[in-house]
């Protein structure tokens, strides 16, 4: 697919997503009946590839939901367990030629099951409680959020850097790299010490009320910084701001960029000068929430290709066809073993390219891929894009 075609497709997907948001499961009766059980979705579903149960495949879930909508089976905790067995990778939507769009239906199903008290799954519920209480999923104190930040930044600026909980509390080195790169480039930005969770987790759990409360609170916090633009360090936060916030709060009118897009601009403008170190072969993992959910495939690749001496090699599954790391949609929280096993497959695919390093642009993918690397005792070096670039900046 060309860049223009990808953009057009991302726009069409977004329009369909917006329309789907207002629907109930009952509105999908016809689509559910349109599933011809061809199994094209099953082939690529990461959860099915790991679990091997028909009932967790997108088509299996469609059959369960068709029966629920028809009143032939009751929604039960077992039904909820199958429906929530999903990483929200969204590949089933593009695999389906029958226009069923299983992922869109699953999102509505999660919301309805949660409204009925059957979802989210127990561990996910605990996570949402922690997010409500501590404003992060780790039960960390707010004052530790930026403990890695070594420089003072102005309280207001046109650009707000938003790190997200995983970077802030688990990958301070990524946070530091991003700040250092912007300082080197002379790019003005602010960071708010009030930053809290973006609300992505409760949203995908169907806890829409909680995610809407978080979005409202965040909107007020963002406004206080005077920013017109928000740049995120995390693919998940980015897709939440881009795709979800406009539906949860009014006037969410910020320009949004993932950090990879800003990095590319700074490199193209010559604000960051890159130098050759030892030659290196790297492969890039597209986070589902930056790729299929938000249509950003080129910026990270162009940044990698602009580093002298760094060769980008693609995995068998890349761009819109990329394979999920297994960590999204609360799947890691509810099914950690299966989640890391899915990441192991991705690591093996990365190893097959002969690359020295694996680069990603999502700290949540990184968490899962990191665990898989350790389990496999892989020699692959794992980078966030910002850290790879900082290593090569003059
Ligand atoms: S690809 Fe579409 S039609 Fe085929 S089994 Fe999956 S949901 Fe059904
Ligand atoms: S979104 Fe991904 S994990 Fe979920 S059912 Fe579809 S293919 Fe499977």
């Amino acid at each position: 697919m060309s860049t223009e075609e990808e953009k057009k497709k991302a726009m069409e997907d977004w329009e369909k997503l917006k329309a789907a948001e207002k629907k109930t499961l009952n509105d999908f009766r016809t689509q559910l009946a349109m599933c011809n059980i061809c199994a094209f979705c099953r082939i690529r579903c990461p959860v099915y590839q790991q679990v091997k149960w028909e009932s967790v495949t997108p088509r299996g879930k469609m059959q369960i939901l068709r029966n629920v909508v028809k009143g032939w089976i009751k929604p039960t905790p077992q039904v909820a367990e199958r429906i929530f067995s999903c990483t929200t990778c969204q590949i089933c939507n593009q695999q389906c030629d029958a226009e069923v769009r299983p992922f869109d239906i699953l999102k509505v199903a999660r919301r309805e099951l949660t409204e009925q008290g059957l979802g989210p799954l127990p561990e996910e519920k605990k996570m949402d409680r922690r997010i409500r209480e501590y404003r992060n999923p780790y039960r960390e104190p707010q004052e530790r959020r930026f403990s890695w930040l070594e420089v003072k930044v102005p309280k207001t600026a046109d650009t707000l850097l938003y790190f997200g909980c995983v970077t802030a509390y688990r990958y301070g080195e990524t946070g530091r790299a991003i700040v250092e790169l912007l300082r080197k480039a002379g790019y003005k930005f602010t960071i708010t010490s009030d930053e809290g969770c973006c609300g992505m987790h409760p949203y995908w759990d169907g806890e829409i009320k909680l995610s809407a409360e978080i979005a409202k609170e965040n909107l007020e916090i963002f406004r206080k910084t005077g920013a017109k633009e928000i740049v995120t360090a995390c693919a998940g936060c980015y897709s939440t701001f881009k795709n979800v916030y406009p539906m949860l709060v009014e006037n969410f009118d910020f320009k949004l960029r993932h950090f990879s897009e800003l990095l590319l601009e700074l490199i193209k403008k010559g604000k960051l000068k890159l130098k050759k170190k030892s030659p290196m072969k790297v492969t890039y993992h597209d986070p589902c929430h930056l790729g299929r959910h938000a249509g950003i495939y080129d910026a990270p690749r162009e940044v990698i290709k602009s580093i002298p001496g760094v060769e980008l090699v693609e995995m068998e599954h890349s761009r819109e066809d990329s394979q999920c790391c297994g960590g999204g949609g609360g799947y890691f929280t509810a099914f950690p073993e299966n989640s890391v096993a899915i990441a192991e497959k991705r690591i093996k695919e990365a190893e097959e390219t002969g690359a020295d390093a694996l680069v990603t642009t999502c700290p949540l993918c990184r968490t899962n891929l990191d665990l898989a690397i350790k389990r496999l005792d892989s020699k692959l070096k794992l980078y966030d894009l910002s850290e790879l670039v900082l290593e090569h900046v003059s």
Side-chain angles (χ1 to χ4, degrees), residues 18-206:
K18 260 200 315 190
E21 196 70 23
K22 296 189 186 83
K23 290 188 177 168
T24 66
L25 204 47
N26 199 42
D27 292 323
F28 288 99
R29 270 172 176 260
T30 311
Q31 256 169 284
L32 285 165
M34 276 157 55
C35 171
N36 59 33
I37 53 174
C38 67
F40 281 126
C41 54
R42 187 175 81 166
I43 300 164
R44 294 301 309 280
C45 175
V47 176
Y48 171 71
Q49 285 174 358
Q50 179 56 33
V51 179
K52 303 284 185 205
W53 293 345
E54 182 59 35
S55 56
V56 298
T57 66
R59 82 167 177 179
K61 289 170 176 130
M62 295 305 103
Q63 300 314 309
I64 292 171
L65 292 174
R66 182 163 184 245
N67 278 278
V68 168
V69 166
K70 289 272 194 184
W72 293 335
I73 62 170
K74 286 199 185 321
T76 60
Q78 288 74 26
V79 165
E81 202 258 353
R82 295 301 190 269
I83 300 305
F84 279 80
S85 291
C86 168
T87 67
T88 67
C89 79
Q90 208 180 292
I91 203 162
C92 48
N93 268 3
Q94 72 187 41
Q95 285 291 108
C96 182
D97 288 334
E99 295 282 319
V100 178
R101 295 185 65 86
F103 172 74
D104 295 356
I105 300 175
L106 288 173
K107 200 170 71 141
V108 175
R110 282 175 170 228
R111 198 181 67 209
E112 289 198 8
L113 287 165
T114 297
E115 282 164 6
Q116 291 163 22
L118 293 164
L121 301 181
E123 288 307 314
E124 294 171 329
K125 221 176 256 179
K126 284 187 205 161
M127 165 91 91
D128 290 338
R129 244 180 266 141
R130 293 197 293 273
I131 290 171
R132 190 194 301 263
E133 204 174 326
Y134 295 90
R135 304 181 68 237
N136 70 77
Y138 306 117
R139 247 193 238 112
E140 293 272 11
Q142 183 69 27
E143 56 275 19
R144 281 211 54 230
R145 193 167 182 102
F146 294 120
S147 55
W148 44 266
L149 185 63
E150 290 155 347
V151 294
K152 282 211 176 321
V153 293
K155 282 201 177 341
T156 59
D158 283 350
T159 297
L160 168 67
L161 261 187
Y162 180 92
F163 293 90
C165 302
V166 189
T167 300
Y169 288 113
R170 295 293 181 263
Y171 289 105
E173 63 272 32
T174 306
R176 266 196 306 271
I178 290 171
V179 168
E180 185 60 13
L181 285 168
L182 292 187
R183 276 164 52 83
K184 278 181 184 287
Y187 196 86
K188 301 224 174 338
F189 62 93
T190 181
I191 296 169
T192 168
S193 57
D194 290 334
E195 183 186 297
C197 175
C198 70
M200 173 187 185
H201 199 278
Y203 178 77
W204 290 111
D205 280 354

Side-chain angles (χ1 to χ4, degrees), residues 5-19:
E5 282 169 336
E6 273 168 7
K7 273 190 194 154
K8 192 167 165 256
K9 191 174 172 305
M11 187 52 77
E12 284 168 4
D13 282 351
W14 162 232
E15 289 300 331
K16 284 177 188 165
L17 192 73
K18 260 200 315 190

